[in-house]
């Protein structure tokens, strides 16, 4: 039987980052990463292979090269059983590998709801992180004219925009009242809705899909309100489920939602076994509730934590819950969100004060390429601690959102933004006199003052 000090199952975002971080911290230990497929897609780039990138070839993650560069053995095989008592993993090829520490990074697969009649018709697709499937799907979509994308989370939104770019007639259908309903409050999601509509994507909200109809192949979809629309293809973007069967069948504890149960060091309940990424249990940073958040950024943060804690616990380096920091873009406009939305806070009985500032990202605003910047900050009413934020801006939206994320993670209050020192430049940022994070915080502070004075 082969042996390695650290064995990693799964070679996408979580597995790759855990291997590299782990090896940097424990250079004398041997590391082996095993993944099911040779080619690994950049998961976040998948929507773009249907439009901007044109093919999966341009969206490959250089996992093998990165492993080689870091002195990590990389193998292609499928783990079929973990023997947690004798500490070895059996693979489909018949190989067995002994480990000291095991990292389970088996990720997630898309959900195809069992209740959806017609889900198995030809031209009904999901969006797995599987190159072969995506290449097949890309070529089958070739002859389609009308495509329905079901589910307007960030993947559905990105995919709709990319398919529209390629000339399809795209209809995005969302059961909730708004697109991106869970990530953005309505005053921001409406703006994204408007942008997508202007770009020619048809959007239907507040009604779900009931069935897909066709003679062997998609012809029509029927919505919950009885409306029928002719379609040539249907893409289901209705969520992902954790790949936790391998862990479960090997006796590793799984939670009620099917995620591998972990602590704040990403350790499972089984000795010397860690779980990271989409397959591992998540807890919301603010509400402390278990959540099904699946983000590559979260996966990589968990992977770094696990890598650093493999052989010796760094007690301050823990993963204290997902802040669900995410950004996306439509053309040159970026959208970002971090922490809880105002709507989510209300649902949790978490009283908040919000501030929303609309400014411009250059000063003076007459400079070329100046763009509107909108920042919404959400603070807990009783403490002033920032618990969420949303941004619409130019390409800097992603980094502004990351600043908000760091503030949430460090439980900074509105005061930290009010006294924030920033660097600015006419061609790069908003004006120092109208910096959106500070201005949004000032609005919260003004509301706090009014409350203290008993004013409305
Ligand atoms: C279309 C799309 C767009 C996205 N965009 C973004 C984005 O912009 N930003 C963001 O933060 N997140 C994004 N995500 C989410 C992100 O892709 C996931 O959170 C991320 O891929 C999780 O990484 P992971 O390593 O945990 O799992 P996965 O990426 O699912 O990888 C798991 C790996 O393990 C392998 N594996 C599974 N079982 C076995 C086994 N038994 N033996 C060996 N190998 C096995 C799989 O083959 C796979 O390679 C997007 C997801 C999709 C689908």
């Amino acid at each position: 039987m082969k042996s390695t000090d650290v064995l990693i199952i799964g070679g996408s975002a979580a597995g790759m980052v855990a291997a590299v971080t782990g090896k940097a911290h424990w250079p004398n230990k041997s590391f082996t990463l095993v993944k099911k497929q040779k080619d690994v897609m950049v998961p976040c780039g998948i929507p773009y292979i249907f439009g901007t990138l044109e093919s999966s070839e341009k969206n490959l993650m250089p996992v093998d090269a990165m492993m080689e560069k870091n002195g990590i053995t990389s193998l292609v095989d499928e783990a079929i059983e973990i023997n947690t008592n004798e500490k070895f993993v059996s693979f489909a090829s018949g190989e067995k590998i002994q480990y000291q520490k095991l990292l389970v990074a088996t990720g997630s697969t898309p959900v195809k709801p069992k209740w959806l009649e017609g889900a198995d018709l030809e031209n009904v697709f999901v969006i797995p992180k599987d190159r072969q499937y995506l290449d097949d799907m890309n070529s089958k979509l070739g002859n389609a004219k009308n495509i329905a994308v079901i589910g307007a989370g960030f993947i559905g939104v990105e995919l709709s925009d990319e398919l529209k770019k390629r000339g399809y007639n795209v209809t995005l259908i969302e059961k909730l009242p708004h697109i991106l309903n869970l990530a953005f409050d309505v005053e921001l999601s409406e703006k994204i809705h408007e942008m997508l509509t202007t770009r020619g994507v048809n959007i239907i909200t507040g009604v779900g899909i009931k069935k897909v109809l066709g003679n062997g192949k998609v012809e029509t979809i029927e919505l919950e309100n009885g409306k029928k629309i002719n379609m040539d293809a249907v893409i289901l973007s209705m969520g992902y489920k954790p790949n936790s069967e391998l862990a479960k069948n090997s006796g590793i504890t799984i939670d009620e939602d099917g995620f591998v149960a972990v602590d704040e060091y990403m350790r499972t309940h089984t000795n010397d076994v860690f779980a990271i990424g989409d397959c591992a249990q998540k807890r919301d940073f603010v509400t402390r509730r278990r959540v099904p958040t699946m983000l590559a950024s979260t996966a990589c943060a968990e992977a770094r934590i696990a890598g650093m804690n493999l052989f010796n616990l760094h007690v301050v380096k823990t993963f204290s819950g997902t802040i669900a920091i995410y950004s996306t873009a439509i053309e040159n406009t970026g959208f970002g969100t971090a922490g809880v939305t105002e709507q989510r806070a209300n649902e949790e009985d978490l009283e908040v004060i919000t501030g929303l500032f609309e400014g411009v990202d250059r000063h003076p605003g007459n400079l070329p390429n100046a763009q509107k910047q909108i920042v919404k900050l959400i603070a807990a009413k009783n403490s002033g601690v920032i618990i969420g934020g949303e941004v619409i801006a130019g390409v800097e939206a992603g980094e502004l959102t990351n600043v908000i994320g760091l503030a949430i993670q460090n439980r900074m209050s509105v005061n930290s933004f009010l006294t924030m020192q920033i660097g600015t430049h006419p061609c790069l940022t908003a004006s120092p006199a109208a910096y959106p994070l500070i201005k949004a915080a000032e609005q919260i502070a003004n509301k706090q003052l009014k409350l203290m004075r008993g004013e409305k």
Side-chain angles (χ1 to χ4, degrees):
M1 192 187 312
K2 278 190 186 164
S3 86
T4 183
D5 294 328
V6 180
L7 180 60
I8 300 132
I9 306 174
S12 180
M16 185 180 73
V17 170
V20 171
T21 310
K23 186 69 182 172
H25 276 73
W26 318 101
N28 297 327
K29 301 285 185 184
S30 57
F31 280 66
T32 304
L33 177 144
V34 189
K35 56 185 163 64
K36 239 190 310 196
Q37 296 105 349
K38 168 121 189 70
D39 289 340
V40 180
M41 307 292 294
V42 175
C44 315
I46 291 171
Y48 302 95
I49 67 175
F50 296 99
T52 311
L53 287 174
E54 288 172 359
S55 79
S56 64
E57 184 68 38
K58 296 182 185 149
N59 188 46
L60 293 176
M61 200 144 73
V63 181
D64 292 336
M66 206 178 298
M67 293 305 107
E68 195 182 345
K69 190 173 153 208
N70 286 279
I72 297 160
T73 306
S74 179
L75 306 172
V76 178
D77 212 335
E78 180 177 358
I80 51 170
E81 197 186 351
I82 306 167
N83 185 325
T84 55
N85 291 324
E86 293 175 46
K87 294 175 65 173
F88 68 85
V89 176
S90 305
F91 291 89
S93 65
E95 189 76 77
K96 289 184 173 34
I97 304 181
Q98 190 99 48
Y99 63 83
Q100 267 189 61
K101 304 284 177 186
L102 177 71
L103 284 140
V104 178
T106 46
S108 61
T109 38
V111 173
K112 201 178 213 187
K114 288 202 177 71
W115 54 260
L116 181 62
E117 197 183 317
D120 291 324
L121 286 174
E122 198 182 323
N123 277 4
V124 177
F125 302 102
V126 287
I127 315 154
K129 291 159 259 180
D130 175 328
R131 184 177 183 193
Q132 182 80 53
Y133 181 100
L134 293 166
D135 282 347
D136 272 8
M137 173 176 166
N138 218 345
S139 63
K140 282 183 186 157
L141 284 178
N143 300 323
K145 275 202 180 87
N146 300 309
I147 302 180
V149 176
I150 314 296
F154 66 85
I155 295 172
V157 164
E158 289 172 359
L159 197 68
S160 299
D161 192 48
E162 287 299 304
L163 291 168
K164 183 70 213 171
K165 265 188 211 165
R166 218 163 93 177
Y168 296 112
N169 180 25
V170 181
T171 305
L172 176 62
I173 295 164
E174 170 58 58
K175 191 180 167 76
L176 293 172
H178 307 283
I179 64 164
L180 296 164
N181 204 104
L182 303 175
F184 288 92
D185 286 312
V186 61
E187 67 269 44
L188 281 91
S189 68
E190 268 175 353
K191 294 192 193 309
I192 309 172
H193 184 126
E194 207 180 293
M195 264 196 91
L196 271 182
T197 310
T198 310
R199 290 162 70 81
V201 175
N202 312 308
I203 303 178
I204 299 174
T205 54
V207 58
I209 189 169
K210 192 169 166 198
K211 48 179 124 157
V212 186
L213 304 151
N215 189 7
K217 199 173 181 180
V218 175
E219 287 168 16
T220 312
I221 56 165
E222 183 179 330
L223 304 183
E224 284 167 342
N225 59 9
K227 186 174 177 184
K228 289 189 178 163
I229 315 173
N230 289 342
M231 289 293 162
D232 304 308
V234 176
I235 302 176
L236 305 174
S237 177
M238 301 170 80
Y240 288 75
K241 63 175 172 35
N243 293 331
S244 53
E245 299 77 14
L246 170 69
K248 186 180 175 189
N249 296 340
S250 307
I252 295 166
T253 306
I254 306 297
D255 72 19
E256 294 88 329
D257 304 313
F259 289 86
V260 183
V262 287
D263 64 15
E264 295 198 346
Y265 297 102
M266 306 312 298
R267 295 178 301 185
T268 68
H269 296 188
T270 302
N271 278 348
D272 298 317
V273 180
F274 293 68
I276 48 177
D278 284 3
C279 68
Q281 188 179 57
K282 309 272 176 279
R283 198 169 283 282
D284 183 88
F285 184 85
V286 175
T287 66
R288 311 310 299 164
R289 285 199 194 276
R290 286 216 318 261
V291 282
T293 308
M294 290 186 189
L295 287 170
S297 50
T298 303
C300 292
E302 292 173 350
R304 287 191 292 272
I305 300 289
M308 291 186 282
N309 285 295
L310 276 173
F311 291 95
N312 183 13
L313 297 186
H314 284 268
V315 286
V316 290
K317 291 176 181 159
T318 55
F319 188 79
S320 307
T322 175
I323 305 173
I325 309 171
Y326 178 73
S327 51
T328 185
I330 298 177
E331 208 73 51
N332 297 325
T333 303
F335 310 93
T337 175
V340 292
T341 57
E342 183 178 1
Q343 182 186 325
R344 183 86 195 102
N346 290 336
E347 287 161 6
E348 287 284 342
D349 286 338
L350 205 173
E351 281 192 90
V352 295
I353 305 182
T354 64
L356 188 141
F357 179 76
E358 286 200 40
V360 63
D361 63 359
R362 301 283 179 270
H363 56 289
N366 293 326
L367 278 167
N369 306 322
Q371 218 173 316
K372 211 184 218 187
Q373 255 181 352
I374 305 175
V375 169
K376 175 170 179 173
L377 286 180
I378 300 149
K381 188 175 174 186
N382 54 9
S383 62
V385 167
I386 300 292
I387 57 168
E390 294 158 46
V391 178
I392 299 183
V395 286
E396 74 282 5
E399 302 308 347
L400 275 174
T401 309
N402 286 342
V403 173
I404 298 173
L406 193 63
I408 298 171
Q409 187 173 345
N410 287 290
R411 301 191 197 281
M412 289 181 179
S413 73
V414 176
N415 289 338
S416 305
F417 282 103
L418 296 177
T419 57
M420 183 183 186
Q421 300 188 35
I422 46 163
T424 58
H425 183 273
C427 301
L428 296 174
T429 68
S431 148
Y435 197 72
L437 293 173
I438 299 173
K439 296 309 282 182
E442 279 176 1
Q443 287 198 16
I444 295 176
N446 289 342
K447 289 182 187 171
Q448 283 175 321
L449 278 174
K450 277 191 180 167
L451 277 173
M452 276 166 59
R453 291 195 210 106
E455 297 168 14
K456 282 225 161 167

